[in-house]
Amino acid sequence: MNTARLRDRVAASDPGLLRLAAGLRTVGAIALTLAVLGLLGASVPHLVAGAIAAMVATFAIREKQRSAQAVTLALGLPVALASLSLGALLSSRVLAGDLFFVALIFCAVYSRRFGDRGTALGLIGFQVYFVSLFVGATVSGLPELYGVLGVAFLGSAAARFLLVPETPAGLLERLREAFRVRLAQLVSAQLQLLDAGPEEIDDALKGVREGTARLHETALMIQGRLEEGTSDAAAARLVQRRIADAEIAAERLGLLLLSARSAERADTLTLHLPGAPAPRAGRMPGRDEAMARVRRDLEALRLLVLRPVAARSGTALSQVRNRLLGYREEENLPPAPPAVQDVFRGVGEAARAVLGLRIALDGPQDESDDSPETARSREELDAEDAVIDAREEDGEQEELTGLGRPTTRAAVQVAVGSSLAIVGGEFLSSQRWYWAVLTCWIVFINTASTGEILVKGYRRLLGTVLGVLAGIVLAGAVGQHTWTAFALVLVLVFAMFYTAPLSYTLMSFFVTAALGLLYTLLHTYSLSVLVLRVEETALGAACGVIAAAFVLPVRTDRRTNDLLVTVLERLDEVTEAAVDQLSGGSPEDLLDQARDLDQALADLRAATQPLTHPITPLRARRDTARYVVALLETCAYHARSLAATAELLPTHPSIAADPRLRRAGRRIGENIAAIAAQVADERSTAAVETGPSIASLLETEVPGTPRFGRVTDRVLRHVQRLDETVVGLARPLHVPVAAPRR
């Protein structure tokens, strides 16, 4: 049991074991390279060169298919040999070497426009040139260094394809398991929210908020791996649908629990805005008795997520499953206040999502213990599976040219910044100026605005300062024990790759500490060298910020506005398509559109990090950015829910099209367009329109017609909340609100 619990925790903290695999693969490549070179009697400089080259050859390759990885690795060796040769040839020609280095940096960044392979080859070319400078490569020593590079690339291949192999299907399977574990953790967090007292409610809500975000993160990771990891498009779409169902059901269950605690309907924004006040417990007659049953059912739901129902009949889990699925039928709901009955309904829908997820991932299951309610749920799932097809739409993307292309702009910026770093670095040290250039290069990787570069430069400088202190301690402890130092380097390299996605500061700390040990091995270690490392890092970061700010600058405001417009456009597309389908329109690929919205929102969230960073002096601006992102996350939740409900139309007996929904959708679409126009151009005169509630828009003028027709209450609730949240975006974005039409 303890082993299973530990495995679940690891799977949840590192979805797909991506960080663990990256660390082990890189350490394995370095260890193999050092082992072979050690047996061949290589010198310490050659060991250092081989270790760095093996690391570069391993982490540079990002393609998903093994065949593509092999091709890129094979192409990377001649690129590395050419870069090493030029580094050695130009080592004595200062001006020519500097000019070539700048040109190489420009090409390495520009090559990112050619996809993962171009990015990898550019990175290998730049880093191997850096290795030639680090170990002082000479023309006479090139034959031995060629052999070192060959061993390093072979070690990288062996680690990638033999020691720590990774197949798309295997990775997807681990991601699916991580999704299940994170779903169970979210249910556990919801249990804590249910039991939290007045002093614990804020921490409990924070746990639910973090659990919801982690589940969503894993869903996006699965989405990115479906095409390569499944046997066919239909299977991929089935998994995509079941993942979306489970994610939406879990988030909705959290909202229903908040409503049940407070005796008032909870606002979705509470789950999306850090620091938002949690609803306090209210008094409802009969609530305490019903909540005890909710607590038991949530625990049962968590067990269903983690454990498959056994094949043999009569098991306790199958009976629990039947009971939870029975809550989807009104006659099976326990006596309770309306808000608590909504929780039971949410538990039933979550149990249905878990059942669908289990069937999609594990295949058909034993049905001998099915209750009538469970059998009906299976029939609904089977009917949905039957209509899932593999429609693929070819999106058209506007192609930017010239300096408008992001890769071209970044290449020019980093070339200018590197030129400044070379000049400034020469003043600090004529031997180790390249550290400034390396920092300037690194702060431009995966950044797109001046603010992002500033934050990344600050984090690298902080990690470097702390790493220098650690390097002093480690270098003094190791002394000249070569293999002890290399063993510590392997530990630090693993820590660097394991923490890289979590904290750039930690990654910089580990890499700087490792470099302190390498300096010790090369007999160039001293306190002045490590201090120089800090100075060069600060200089490189400053040069990067200067280049980003004055050479073809992309202001943080401009980038976030562009991404905000993209999010609004994706939101409009999903909402319009879902409402149209719920109104009787032709079916569309709604889940793919919803995931495009999620990805656009993730890009915006990353771009706003400079605005929301704790050290930012603009507190009001930080709070506004957080509030806008939270509102958009709320909009995305309701849009995802509408999309998932719309796709149930062909199979779900209680959901049918209602043409009157088009009126409600039209107002939402017009408001989204007005906000997007205002964000794109402040001179826009577009305004957001408020008016009657969505429910009143659906009132019929024909006497005797039911008020809501055949549209379910859930659809109305999502449309209403989406309408309110879109209007709520107007205030922080300074969009005028027009008077209601009469």
Side-chain angles (χ1 to χ4, degrees):
M1 180 64 68
N2 291 334
T3 303
R5 187 179 294 112
L6 177 62
R7 185 173 61 250
D8 288 345
R9 288 183 178 178
V10 172
S13 64
D14 182 15
L17 303 181
L18 291 174
R19 291 185 285 122
L20 179 64
L24 291 177
R25 192 177 299 116
T26 306
V27 168
I30 296 174
L32 285 175
T33 301
L34 292 176
V36 173
L37 293 177
L39 291 175
L40 295 176
S43 64
V44 171
H46 286 166
L47 291 174
V48 172
I52 299 177
M55 181 177 69
V56 172
T58 305
F59 78 74
I61 297 175
R62 298 296 184 191
E63 283 135 324
K64 298 173 183 176
Q65 294 290 347
R66 288 164 62 88
S67 58
Q69 295 172 5
V71 171
T72 303
L73 191 61
L75 293 175
L77 181 57
V79 170
L81 294 174
S83 184
L84 179 68
S85 302
L86 289 168
L89 288 170
L90 298 174
S91 60
S92 60
R93 299 171 175 83
V94 177
L95 181 59
D98 291 349
L99 291 175
F100 173 76
F101 201 11
V102 172
L104 176 63
I105 290 170
F106 177 89
C107 294
V109 176
Y110 185 79
S111 65
R112 291 189 294 176
R113 73 178 295 260
F114 299 107
D116 289 336
R117 180 163 296 162
T119 301
L121 296 179
L123 187 57
I124 289 172
F126 170 81
Q127 293 285 3
V128 171
Y129 192 88
F130 169 79
V131 170
S132 72
L133 298 175
F134 186 72
V135 300
T138 61
V139 176
S140 60
L142 280 177
E144 291 85 358
L145 286 173
Y146 287 160
V148 168
L149 283 184
V151 171
F153 273 74
L154 286 175
S156 176
R160 178 176 295 277
F161 300 117
L162 298 176
L163 291 183
V164 192
E166 182 179 279
T167 62
L171 176 57
L172 181 60
E173 178 59 33
R174 294 197 299 274
L175 284 172
R176 293 169 179 172
E177 186 60 30
F179 183 87
R180 278 199 283 227
V181 175
R182 284 193 165 181
L183 178 58
Q185 289 182 341
L186 177 55
V187 176
S188 297
Q190 291 170 346
L191 262 169
Q192 293 177 5
L193 177 66
L194 186 66
D195 293 331
E199 303 296 329
E200 305 164 333
I201 180 64
D202 290 330
D203 290 339
L205 181 59
K206 180 181 178 182
V208 172
R209 185 182 295 123
E210 291 177 350
T212 303
R214 288 171 182 165
L215 187 70
H216 184 59
E217 173 196 21
T218 311
L220 286 178
M221 294 172 71
I222 292 174
Q223 173 70 16
R225 301 282 179 169
L226 277 175
E227 184 177 349
E228 294 84 7
T230 48
S231 56
D232 55 66
R237 184 163 178 78
L238 175 60
V239 173
Q240 177 189 23
R241 174 57 193 267
R242 297 304 169 220
I243 291 290
D245 286 346
E247 181 187 356
I248 293 169
E251 186 165 1
R252 180 169 178 264
L253 181 57
L255 291 172
L256 294 174
L257 283 169
L258 282 173
S259 298
R261 278 187 56 94
S262 62
E264 298 176 1
R265 186 162 299 284
D267 191 339
T268 320
L269 189 63
T270 307
L271 286 180
H272 297 146
L273 181 61
R280 303 296 168 176
R283 297 302 306 167
M284 289 186 296
R287 187 190 66 178
D288 294 340
E289 297 79 5
M291 292 301 253
R293 185 165 184 171
V294 168
R295 188 176 298 106
R296 182 194 65 178
D297 288 337
L298 285 176
E299 185 64 40
L301 178 64
R302 189 183 69 85
L303 292 176
L304 280 182
V305 173
L306 289 176
R307 301 180 188 175
V309 177
R312 63 182 184 276
S313 62
T315 62
L317 274 179
S318 63
Q319 296 171 9
V320 166
R321 179 198 60 196
N322 292 340
R323 186 181 80 247
L324 299 188
L325 287 171
Y327 292 151
R328 301 184 65 230
E329 307 292 340
E330 292 295 318
E331 61 270 16
N332 294 329
L333 292 175
V340 181
Q341 284 199 328
D342 280 344
V343 174
F344 285 116
R345 294 186 184 96
V347 169
E349 292 300 325
R352 178 190 185 274
V354 171
L355 176 63
L357 187 64
R358 184 71 67 181
I359 293 173
L361 301 185
D362 300 336
Q365 300 175 318
D366 179 68
E367 303 177 13
S368 58
D369 280 338
D370 283 0
S371 65
E373 293 82 6
T374 301
R376 278 194 290 273
S377 293
R378 286 191 191 274
E379 291 171 0
E380 291 174 7
L381 291 169
D382 291 340
E384 291 173 18
D385 296 348
V387 299
I388 288 178
D389 54 31
R391 293 190 306 268
E392 296 182 1
E393 298 178 0
D394 296 326
E396 295 183 2
Q397 187 173 1
E398 183 179 356
E399 179 71 17
L400 297 175
T401 59
L403 295 178
R405 185 182 291 122
T407 48
T408 306
R409 181 191 299 111
V412 172
Q413 288 177 326
V414 75
V416 173
S418 298
S419 300
L420 296 175
I422 289 173
V423 174
E426 289 280 5
F427 281 106
L428 289 176
S429 171
S430 58
Q431 285 80 34
R432 296 184 176 86
W433 51 269
Y434 46 80
W435 286 119
V437 181
L438 180 66
T439 299
C440 182
W441 152 279
I442 288 176
V443 297
F444 272 94
I445 295 177
N446 296 327
T447 55
S449 70
T450 306
E452 291 178 72
I453 292 171
L454 179 61
V455 170
K456 192 172 184 180
Y458 152 77
R459 288 172 174 167
R460 183 166 183 83
L461 180 60
L462 177 60
T464 299
V465 171
L466 298 175
V468 163
L469 298 176
I472 293 173
V473 175
L474 292 174
V478 171
Q480 297 300 317
H481 296 84
T482 301
W483 293 108
T484 302
F486 272 123
L488 282 176
V489 167
L490 290 178
V491 173
L492 292 171
V493 167
F494 175 82
M496 177 180 69
F497 280 91
Y498 194 78
T499 59
L502 302 178
S503 170
Y504 187 71
T505 301
L506 274 178
M507 188 202 77
S508 301
F509 166 80
F510 288 122
V511 71
T512 303
L515 286 171
L517 292 173
L518 294 180
Y519 276 133
T520 303
L521 294 173
L522 294 174
H523 306 289
T524 57
Y525 166 77
S526 68
L527 180 59
S528 61
V529 167
L530 293 179
V531 171
L532 178 63
R533 164 90 170 128
V534 175
E535 295 173 343
E536 296 279 4
T537 298
L539 175 65
C543 291
V545 172
I546 291 171
F550 295 102
V551 180
L552 304 175
V554 178
R555 306 294 182 190
T556 303
D557 286 347
R558 174 186 163 189
R559 173 162 170 75
T560 53
N561 283 347
D562 290 344
L563 292 174
L564 177 55
V565 170
T566 301
V567 172
L568 291 170
E569 290 173 348
R570 299 290 181 269
L571 177 63
D572 190 22
E573 291 171 1
V574 175
T575 305
E576 181 181 3
V579 171
D580 181 70
Q581 191 162 325
L582 287 166
S583 304
S586 57
E588 294 189 37
D589 205 350
L590 295 176
L591 286 181
D592 284 343
Q593 291 185 16
R595 286 309 178 198
D596 289 342
L597 168 62
D598 290 335
Q599 188 57 58
L601 186 53
D603 293 340
L604 175 64
R605 193 183 302 109
T608 57
Q609 285 185 359
L611 304 177
T612 59
H613 196 275
I615 66 171
T616 180
L618 305 175
R619 304 297 182 184
R621 191 181 181 195
R622 180 192 63 186
D623 294 340
T624 298
R626 286 178 175 173
Y627 186 63
V628 168
V629 171
L631 286 172
L632 289 170
E633 287 177 337
T634 296
C635 289
Y637 162 70
H638 291 298
R640 282 198 305 270
S641 300
L642 285 174
T645 306
E647 290 213 341
L648 292 176
L649 278 176
T651 59
H652 204 290
S654 64
I655 302 175
D658 191 321
R660 293 173 294 176
L661 269 176
R662 283 197 176 93
R663 293 180 59 194
R666 190 178 303 117
R667 186 172 77 186
I668 295 173
E670 291 173 353
N671 285 342
I672 294 175
I675 295 173
Q678 183 72 23
V679 172
D681 185 0
E682 294 181 353
R683 296 168 297 181
S684 172
T685 59
V688 168
E689 177 189 341
T690 60
S693 68
I694 295 300
S696 66
L697 290 178
L698 297 183
E699 290 181 349
T700 179
E701 298 177 357
V702 180
T705 303
R707 183 181 180 190
F708 298 136
R710 294 166 295 172
V711 180
T712 65
D713 176 64
R714 186 191 308 179
V715 171
L716 285 177
R717 185 159 57 242
H718 288 307
V719 175
Q720 179 69 45
R721 292 292 186 180
L722 183 58
D723 178 59
E724 294 169 352
T725 309
V726 168
V727 173
L729 276 169
R731 183 180 61 80
L733 295 176
H734 307 294
V735 180
V737 179
R741 296 178 185 174
R742 295 187 181 274

